[in-house]
Amino acid sequence: MKITVLSDTHMPRMSKQLPAPLLQDLQDTDYIFHAGDWTDISLYEELQSMGKLHGVYGNTDLAIIRGLLPEQTIVEAGGKRFGIVHGHMGRGSTEDNALQAFKSEQVDCIVFGHSHIPVLKEENGIILFNPGSPTDKRRQSQYSHGVIRVDDEMDIQHVYYDSK
């Protein structure tokens, strides 16, 4: 099973379209996870037509997106439990906020965004994964999104590219 993961797209302000490497991964994906800061409803509609979409709203999202999506959610896929949250709510770092959001839940992996910084690490037996941004790299050297493959185990990786 393949999950394509993205966050912080900020469309259409940062880009009018998704980058080619991301579109390629979306072609054969089973699930799409978006960790917030879509900015406009058109991206939600586009991704919804491409596969099983699960997402949350972020701090820059319009009221229409906040009305459609939760602040955080848990998705069961491939026998694993994924927590999805943007990571902006709380007083700690983005990673700490993501962990706090699911402190009373049993999850295998927390997908989050907000910082635009790609992260892949384990904390207390939970995998923390921030895909970065495919359209707004900020201080990062490359744009990025993520791919999670679930068989018996999870294989999680970032996909990096130089242009959007």
Side-chain angles (χ1 to χ4, degrees):
M1 182 189 59
K2 178 181 176 182
I3 304 167
T4 303
V5 184
L6 62 156
S7 185
D8 298 291
T9 45
H10 297 278
M11 291 177 69
R13 185 174 58 87
M14 296 310 296
S15 182
K16 304 291 185 243
Q17 61 189 27
L18 294 171
L22 176 56
L23 288 171
Q24 184 176 345
D25 272 327
L26 288 167
Q27 287 180 5
D28 64 346
T29 199
D30 297 297
Y31 289 89
I32 303 165
F33 293 171
H34 193 299
D37 278 1
W38 313 66
T39 306
D40 188 72
I41 192 68
S42 62
L43 178 61
Y44 173 83
E45 293 167 345
E46 180 181 352
L47 290 176
Q48 195 174 42
S49 73
M50 294 180 180
K52 295 177 185 172
L53 176 62
H54 297 278
V56 296
Y57 68 79
N59 57 300
T60 68
D61 287 320
L62 302 172
I64 190 166
I65 294 172
R66 290 174 183 254
L68 286 172
L69 299 171
E71 181 179 307
Q72 66 187 63
T73 191
I74 294 176
V75 178
E76 293 190 27
K80 304 293 182 187
R81 287 175 54 89
F82 296 89
I84 307 172
V85 67
H86 188 57
H88 67 289
M89 299 296 284
R91 296 179 184 257
S93 69
T94 304
E95 291 176 25
D96 289 341
N97 293 342
L99 278 167
Q100 278 296 115
F102 297 100
K103 68 181 179 192
S104 60
E105 300 287 346
Q106 184 82 23
V107 294
D108 299 294
C109 176
I110 298 174
V111 171
F112 65 101
H114 189 55
S115 67
H116 298 226
I117 299 170
V119 172
L120 175 55
K121 68 182 191 179
E122 188 173 323
E123 185 93 19
N124 299 320
I126 300 170
I127 297 169
L128 295 175
F129 187 57
N130 184 329
S133 174
T135 56
D136 186 8
K137 65 182 180 172
R138 288 192 182 165
R139 295 171 297 280
Q140 303 305 303
S141 61
Q142 295 179 295
Y143 299 95
S144 61
H145 68 273
V147 173
I148 302 173
R149 295 188 190 281
V150 182
D151 293 316
D152 291 334
E153 299 293 319
M154 281 190 288
D155 175 38
I156 303 175
Q157 55 189 261
H158 289 98
V159 178
Y160 293 100
Y161 32 99
D162 292 321
S163 60
K164 43 182 167 171

